[in-house]
């Protein structure tokens, strides 16, 4: 009996962190930039923002690759209901870390999987609670000079030296904080028809 070829997989993201995470499941995939405006809407909560952008990114790439299964993802740092995005600059990163020191920050990481050819659409969200230490200005400056995490929501890389800024992490999907919740992603890819443990994977 001849097996049906699997649909091609596309990661709708230019994030090197998400690409490295997706490589863990050993499925071939390509990468495409989603070209989505990430500006929050007036009054939009961090949860709503992350969910909307993840789905928008997946849909935008799926429009270009309608026969493929497309993953979109977005992460927003949630400080008492206020969204914190990527700082972009050293000064903004200082301000973010100063605001987060001694606080519990929830990193809202949404993921969406879309295939236009089959009409498949699913999305989910992993909320990761992160307790930041009461950091001194000197610690913040030394960390930022060492790691320069200006492309990371919340100005810290937990997979690197940023782990030293934290007191605790509470989540149910270990890779969510880095930028792509792989347990949820794998669940949706299986639902979309991909065999993650086939002999050809």
């Amino acid at each position: 009996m001849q097996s049906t070829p699997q649909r091609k997989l596309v990661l709708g993201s230019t994030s090197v962190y998400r690409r490295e995470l997706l490589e863990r499941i050993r499925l071939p995939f390509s990468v495409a930039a989603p070209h989505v405006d990430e500006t929050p809407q007036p009054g939009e909560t961090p949860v709503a923002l992350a969910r909307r952008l993840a789905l928008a990114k997946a849909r935008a790439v799926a429009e270009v690759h309608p026969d493929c299964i497309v993953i979109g993802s977005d992460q927003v740092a949630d400080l008492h209901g206020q969204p914190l995005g990527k700082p972009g600059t050293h000064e903004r990163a200082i301000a973010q870390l100063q605001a987060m020191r001694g606080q519990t920050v929830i990193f809202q990481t949404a993921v969406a999987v879309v295939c236009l050819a089959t009409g498949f659409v699913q999305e989910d969200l992993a909320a990761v609670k992160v307790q930041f230490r009461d950091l001194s200005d000197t610690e913040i400056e030394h960390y930022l000079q060492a790691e320069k995490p200006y492309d990371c929501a919340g100005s810290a890389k937990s997979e690197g030296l940023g782990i030293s800024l934290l007191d605790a992490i509470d989540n149910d999907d270990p890779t969510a904080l880095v930028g792509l919740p792989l347990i949820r992603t794998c669940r949706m890819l299986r639902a979309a028809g991909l065999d993650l443990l086939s002999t050809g994977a």
Side-chain angles (χ1 to χ4, degrees):
M1 180 178 171
Q2 188 175 8
S3 62
T4 304
Q6 298 210 93
R7 289 188 180 276
K8 292 182 179 179
L9 180 63
V10 180
L11 176 62
S13 173
T14 55
S15 164
V16 63
Y17 312 112
R18 292 193 178 104
R19 186 174 73 241
E20 289 173 351
L21 287 173
L22 191 58
E23 285 172 351
R24 293 188 188 184
I25 65 173
R26 303 187 182 189
L27 284 181
F29 67 93
S30 57
V31 173
H35 303 299
V36 168
D37 182 1
E38 299 189 26
T39 305
Q41 296 176 351
E44 191 170 32
T45 66
V47 169
L49 175 61
R51 285 185 181 274
R52 177 175 64 82
L53 291 180
L55 190 56
K57 290 174 181 180
R59 288 189 185 279
V61 173
E63 290 288 343
V64 182
H65 303 278
D67 291 323
C68 298
I69 294 172
V70 180
I71 300 169
S73 186
D74 192 75
Q75 182 179 77
V76 179
D78 180 347
L79 178 61
H80 308 312
Q82 295 300 311
L84 300 177
K86 300 170 185 175
T89 67
H90 184 78
E91 292 70 27
R92 288 177 184 166
I94 290 174
Q96 281 193 358
L97 289 174
Q98 286 176 337
M100 293 188 298
R101 60 185 168 194
Q103 303 295 314
T104 297
V105 181
I106 302 175
F107 285 79
Q108 311 285 4
T109 308
V111 59
V113 173
V114 172
C115 180
L116 293 185
T118 63
F120 183 88
V121 179
Q122 277 192 12
E123 58 93 19
D124 204 348
L125 180 121
V128 182
K129 290 185 180 180
V130 177
Q131 178 65 43
F132 277 79
R133 293 173 41 242
D134 190 8
L135 304 164
S136 68
D137 288 347
T138 300
E139 285 178 311
I140 290 172
E141 180 65 25
H142 284 172
Y143 169 68
L144 292 177
Q145 291 294 345
E147 204 149 59
K148 296 179 171 56
Y150 309 133
D151 60 345
C152 299
S155 304
K157 296 181 184 179
S158 65
E159 69 274 27
L161 182 60
I163 199 73
S164 69
L165 308 179
L166 311 179
D167 269 335
I169 298 174
D170 182 14
N171 70 57
D172 65 356
D173 204 333
T175 59
L177 188 54
V178 183
L180 185 65
L182 282 180
I183 292 175
R184 286 167 171 79
T185 301
C186 288
R187 183 184 302 142
M188 287 189 280
L189 292 179
R190 287 192 298 269
L194 287 183
D195 184 351
L196 276 61
L197 295 173
S198 69
T199 53

